[in-house]
Amino acid sequence: MRLLRKLFSADSRNRAAALLIVLCAAIVAATEPALPALMKHVLDVGFTSRRDFPLWAVPAVLLGLFTVRGLAWLTSQFLTQWMTQNVLARVRTLVYGQIVHAQLAQLQRESASSLIGAAVYEAQLALGMIFPGLLTLVRDSLTLLALFGYLMWLNWSLTLLTLAILLPLLFTMRLISRRAKRLNAQMQKAAEVTSYALEEGMLAAPVIRVHNAQSGFAARFEAINQGLRRTTVKTLVSGSSTTPVSQWLSALAVSVVMVYALHQSDVSGQHSVGGFVSFITAMLMTLSPLRRVSDIVQPMVRALSSLERLRGIIDTPQEADTGSFELARASGELRFEDVTVRIGAIDRPVLDRVSLHVHAGESLALVGPSGAGKTTLMRLVPRLLEPSSGRLLLDGVPLRDWKLHALRQQIALVSQDVVLLNDSVAANVSFGEPVDEARAWSALEAAALADFVRGLPGGLHAEIGHNGSQLSGGQRQRLSIARALYRDAPLLILDEATSALDAESERLVQQAVDRLMQGRTTIVIAHRLATIAHCDRIAVLDQGRLVELGTQSELLTRGGLYAQLHRMQFAGQGTQEWVGGN
């Protein structure tokens, strides 16, 4: 409920809409007793010499009454749907805001399908029940107040008798409805079991024949089939009995009321025909709103419970951004000082007291077996992950002291998992920044992709499909490199940018990568050692620790872990154990 109040109060227009909805609901409710009241007057004086209205007044009043009622009804429905969609849009905005701003470690506990389901489908179903349900609750409650007020005014003793009859009647109808729902659920379950038995028979048909098990399986299916038949018959009979039972109970209620009203007329002689017909009409008009009010509460409670699941997503803590330091362009000097990272309840730290100094403009390769901590180390730089202890410094300033936006403005990332927008080439190159076409063409030229883009219909503004579905693997990778060139950041992170490509695509991508690395501090996560021969230094990680650091020739001379990895890869032996990114 707290989440619903938060979503509702986020837009002041929702309050105005709610007030108008209540006003329209009150108008609709006020018109309900007007019809039986009009019938009373017409029956009492319209068929006598005492008629005090012209004939044209009857259709005029009726049409005017239903015009006002219809306009109020439509307005309340429109405003309810508008408010529902307004709050739904707010939900989607909040969830997407969490996707781009929340702490990744917390957010990634939810699967993508779970997030989408909660933000789109569950929220749609829940809010689609809550706000229309509230409208029904308010409108029917006011209608009942208006009708029972009118009934009390007509005949208070008869009204109390009516209430004494209607409440047990509604309770009985509710029991019948619940039984019908329960039987319907049983029928659906029996149908699922029967369908599964048929599917099982199809799948096992050869085995059934080989084992001569036809009679046994046929008997088993017949039992299941007869169970479905019995349940279906029960459900249909229960559903069919609802209408006659409700009509019989209504007839009983009307009979009791009629007898009592006739008795009162015999005793006092004060009741008119119009008054009695008006009373019966108003009494019957209370049945539908009473049933709707009693039926709407439980679905609304379930909808509120379903909506509360969004709280865990919306209340996910956002990334800490407490720093104040900012710089237009850093030099790119990066330091890791005794950095340790622990994730969850894992005993061994993912990174264990790693200290590393990357000079401005230097290229450093990270290698090691799967689970060594390479990707974890990379995620620390843009603060996608926070160290458990130790610190990182950029240009001598601790990362926590940088403004988050200013820090990430210094970083460009090219990953093996390329993410492309279902948008134009220009939008994918600029990736959220204002599009500068000259700058975009320059980046595409450097990424060896300009000629291809010129040949596209629309050129720079050509759509590339869902996640670049209209591009080859090499083209997608070069487009991500063009994005990094467009960003022109001093610090570059390359996560195996040439993996899973054919020889020609890899050559073109590697050339683009070489141009991209010029003049930038570069951290390369490498699984294939052939791609890091040009790096200034190589850091070797194993079980979260920095075990070797030096140039390729130095590490080969030492004969340690890197030399072992080098021999395995270039001897064509099992390199799979070295592939991984943690």
Side-chain angles (χ1 to χ4, degrees):
M1 199 66 181
R2 184 171 65 86
L3 175 61
L4 185 62
R5 285 197 298 269
K6 177 182 177 181
L7 294 170
F8 176 81
S9 59
D11 189 339
S12 59
R13 295 177 299 173
N14 290 336
R15 291 191 180 90
L19 289 174
L20 284 173
I21 289 169
V22 172
L23 176 62
C24 290
I27 292 172
V28 171
T31 62
E32 290 287 339
L35 182 60
L38 180 63
M39 289 178 62
K40 178 182 184 301
H41 189 69
V42 169
L43 290 172
D44 283 345
V45 302
F47 294 95
T48 68
S49 58
R50 296 180 292 114
R51 189 174 70 206
D52 56 358
F53 55 86
L55 292 178
W56 59 263
V58 175
V61 171
L62 280 173
L63 290 174
L65 182 68
F66 279 91
T67 299
V68 171
R69 174 188 172 84
L71 288 173
W73 182 283
L74 284 173
T75 303
S76 65
Q77 290 292 124
F78 167 76
L79 289 173
T80 300
Q81 292 303 322
W82 177 88
M83 191 163 60
T84 301
Q85 296 306 316
N86 200 29
V87 174
L88 266 174
R90 177 65 180 164
V91 167
R92 292 190 290 266
T93 299
L94 285 172
V95 172
Y96 193 82
Q98 291 297 85
I99 289 172
V100 296
H101 290 298
Q103 293 178 8
L104 275 179
Q106 298 288 331
L107 188 66
Q108 288 176 342
R109 293 176 181 175
E110 296 275 352
S111 66
S113 59
S114 175
L115 279 172
I116 293 168
V120 180
Y121 305 112
E122 289 183 29
Q124 177 86 43
L125 290 172
L127 292 172
M129 170 60 71
I130 290 169
F131 286 115
L134 285 172
L135 171 61
T136 299
L137 197 61
V138 170
R139 186 171 57 210
D140 286 343
S141 298
L142 292 174
T143 297
L144 289 170
L145 283 174
L147 286 171
F148 278 112
Y150 177 68
L151 289 170
M152 291 291 287
W153 177 77
L154 277 179
N155 191 325
W156 66 268
S157 60
L158 198 57
T159 301
L160 293 178
L161 176 64
T162 301
L163 280 172
I165 297 169
L166 284 179
L167 292 178
L169 171 63
L170 285 171
F171 179 73
T172 304
M173 293 302 301
R174 189 168 180 81
L175 288 178
I176 294 172
S177 176
R178 282 184 176 177
R179 182 173 184 274
K181 288 179 180 177
R182 186 174 66 253
L183 287 171
N184 191 60
Q186 290 175 3
M187 183 182 72
Q188 289 178 343
K189 180 68 176 176
E192 289 173 4
V193 171
T194 305
S195 298
Y196 181 75
L198 286 166
E199 181 184 358
E200 191 178 56
M202 288 293 294
L203 292 172
V207 182
I208 291 171
R209 285 165 172 78
V210 171
H211 285 259
N212 286 325
Q214 290 93 332
S215 58
F217 272 82
R220 175 173 171 267
F221 178 78
E222 185 60 23
I224 294 171
N225 189 32
Q226 289 302 317
L228 174 61
R229 182 191 62 80
R230 287 191 296 270
T231 305
T232 304
V233 170
K234 282 183 185 178
T235 304
L236 294 175
V237 170
S238 177
S240 301
S241 65
T242 301
T243 299
V245 169
S246 64
Q247 288 176 346
W248 189 88
L249 291 171
S250 299
L252 175 64
V254 171
S255 300
V256 173
V257 170
M258 287 179 70
V259 169
Y260 186 75
L262 289 169
H263 171 72
Q264 281 188 326
S265 180
D266 290 342
V267 173
S268 63
Q270 295 178 350
H271 295 300
S272 66
V273 173
F276 178 71
V277 172
S278 178
F279 188 93
I280 294 295
T281 302
M283 181 191 76
L284 294 176
M285 288 173 69
T286 62
L287 293 176
S288 291
L290 271 172
R291 187 164 55 248
R292 286 195 296 267
V293 168
S294 64
D295 288 345
I296 199 68
V297 175
Q298 193 173 359
M300 283 183 62
V301 170
R302 287 198 300 267
L304 283 168
S305 300
S306 177
L307 190 64
E308 284 299 304
R309 206 178 82 77
L310 283 169
R311 282 184 59 186
I313 300 169
I314 293 174
D315 292 343
T316 301
Q318 296 208 342
E319 294 176 304
D321 188 10
T322 56
S324 57
F325 183 80
E326 54 185 325
L327 194 64
R329 187 177 182 86
S331 67
E333 180 192 15
L334 191 63
R335 283 183 178 272
F336 298 79
E337 295 183 349
D338 289 325
V339 173
T340 297
V341 175
R342 293 182 180 274
I343 297 177
I346 301 174
D347 292 334
R348 180 178 63 82
V350 181
L351 286 177
D352 189 5
R353 293 171 294 173
V354 173
S355 294
L356 191 60
H357 182 198
V358 186
H359 302 283
E362 181 184 23
S363 58
L364 177 77
L366 300 177
V367 301
S370 178
K374 302 183 295 295
T375 299
T376 301
L377 195 70
M378 176 272 287
R379 288 165 67 90
L380 291 170
V381 178
R383 290 189 61 191
L384 300 177
L385 188 67
E386 297 290 346
S388 304
S389 63
R391 62 177 187 166
L392 282 78
L393 299 93
L394 177 61
D395 282 11
V397 180
L399 296 193
R400 284 182 174 273
D401 293 343
W402 281 77
K403 280 188 177 180
L404 200 56
H405 181 269
L407 169 67
R408 290 174 178 170
Q409 200 65 31
Q410 314 300 324
I411 301 167
L413 170 66
V414 179
S415 172
Q416 59 180 324
D417 300 318
V418 179
V419 176
L420 298 177
L421 308 175
N422 186 11
D423 208 329
S424 65
V425 174
N428 276 279
V429 172
S430 61
F431 206 71
E433 295 184 36
V435 177
D436 181 333
E437 292 198 12
R439 187 172 150 202
W441 280 117
S442 177
L444 289 167
E445 289 281 1
L449 201 60
D451 290 341
F452 169 76
V453 173
R454 288 191 187 98
L456 292 174
L460 199 60
H461 303 286
E463 301 285 326
I464 63 170
H466 175 65
N467 202 23
S469 59
Q470 298 179 25
L471 306 179
S472 68
Q475 290 163 348
R476 294 174 75 253
Q477 195 65 273
R478 279 180 282 157
L479 188 54
S480 72
I481 292 170
R483 178 187 298 165
L485 286 160
Y486 187 90
R487 189 167 179 78
D488 191 27
L491 183 57
L492 176 64
I493 299 173
L494 299 175
D495 184 4
E496 195 57 56
T498 60
S499 66
L501 298 176
D502 59 75
E504 178 60 20
S505 296
E506 181 176 349
R507 183 183 64 81
L508 292 172
V509 169
Q510 189 60 56
Q511 289 173 356
V513 166
D514 292 342
R515 286 190 287 270
L516 176 61
M517 291 173 61
Q518 291 174 7
R520 292 179 173 86
T521 304
T522 306
I523 298 175
V524 182
I525 297 177
H527 306 318
R528 295 185 305 118
L529 304 187
T531 63
I532 61 168
H534 58 288
C535 289
D536 297 323
R537 286 190 299 163
I538 299 169
V540 185
L541 297 173
D542 186 28
Q543 296 186 0
R545 293 187 175 185
L546 178 64
V547 294
E548 290 183 306
L549 179 64
T551 64
Q552 178 167 268
S553 58
E554 290 172 346
L555 296 180
L556 289 174
T557 302
R558 291 176 193 169
L561 182 59
Y562 179 80
Q564 179 188 352
L565 172 59
H566 191 273
R567 284 194 302 272
M568 290 173 65
Q569 288 203 7
F570 287 94
Q573 296 175 8
T575 62
Q576 188 172 357
E577 65 175 297
W578 297 94
V579 178
N582 289 324

